[in-house]
């Protein structure tokens, strides 16, 4: 699965230098952080609405849109799908409850350092 994400990430990287008049990705990236984040939020909402309706085909389509826009967001921040996959690998085998608790503890420790 990471192959397709890597290929799409390469397309997004190529389009970063593209013409905003000719490329949707270039246009969205040229509009900046707020536009990108707004689009990710819109796509996430569409996934939730499709799931609420129980429409499996629409869920898949909307999720594909969300993932694609997340790739654009990652590229904006200089990140790659491999960064997210590495974090998922790090979390593999760790209870969700334990992982969340460790994040809270890390935030508390960082706050005390400041």
């Amino acid at each position: 699965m990471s192959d397709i994400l890597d290929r799409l990430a390469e397309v997004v990287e190529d389009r970063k230098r593209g013409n905003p008049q000719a490329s949707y990705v270039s246009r969205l990236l040229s509009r900046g952080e707020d536009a990108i984040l707004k689009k990710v939020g819109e796509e996430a909402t569409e996934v939730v609405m499709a799931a609420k309706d129980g429409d499996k085909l629409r869920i898949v389509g909307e999720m594909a849109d969300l993932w694609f826009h997340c790739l654009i967001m990652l590229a904006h921040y200089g990140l790659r799908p491999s960064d997210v996959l590495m974090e998922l690998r790090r979390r593999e085998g760790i209870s969700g409850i334990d992982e969340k608790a460790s994040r809270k503890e890390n935030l508390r420790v960082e706050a005390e350092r400041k």
Side-chain angles (χ1 to χ4, degrees):
M1 181 170 101
S2 66
D3 292 349
I4 186 64
L5 293 176
D6 289 336
R7 288 194 306 272
L8 285 171
E10 282 303 315
V11 169
V12 170
E13 282 299 318
D14 288 343
R15 304 277 165 82
K16 280 171 101 171
R17 300 172 291 283
N19 177 357
Q21 301 297 335
S23 166
Y24 170 79
V25 172
S26 297
R27 185 177 329 134
L28 184 55
L29 286 165
S30 73
R31 292 177 54 211
E33 179 181 60
D34 286 347
I36 295 165
L37 298 177
K38 180 179 177 187
K39 191 63 182 173
V40 169
E42 289 172 5
E43 296 300 340
T45 299
E46 290 173 7
V47 168
V48 170
M49 292 181 344
K52 186 71 174 161
D53 292 342
D55 185 337
K56 291 180 181 182
L57 190 58
R58 198 168 125 231
I59 292 168
V60 170
E62 297 296 351
M63 187 63 77
D65 291 346
L66 175 58
W67 285 12
F68 183 72
H69 286 87
C70 286
L71 290 173
I72 295 171
M73 181 185 66
L74 287 171
H76 174 75
Y77 291 106
L79 297 166
R80 304 280 300 182
S82 60
D83 296 309
V84 178
L85 294 173
M86 283 185 348
E87 176 61 12
L88 289 171
R89 281 185 196 99
R90 184 191 70 75
R91 294 180 184 188
E92 188 175 14
I94 299 172
S95 154
I97 293 169
D98 292 342
E99 199 284 325
K100 189 171 183 176
S102 74
R103 280 188 275 157
K104 286 181 181 178
E105 177 63 18
N106 289 340
L107 288 173
R108 186 190 63 72
V109 169
E110 286 180 31
E112 288 177 356
R113 288 182 187 157
K114 293 178 183 181

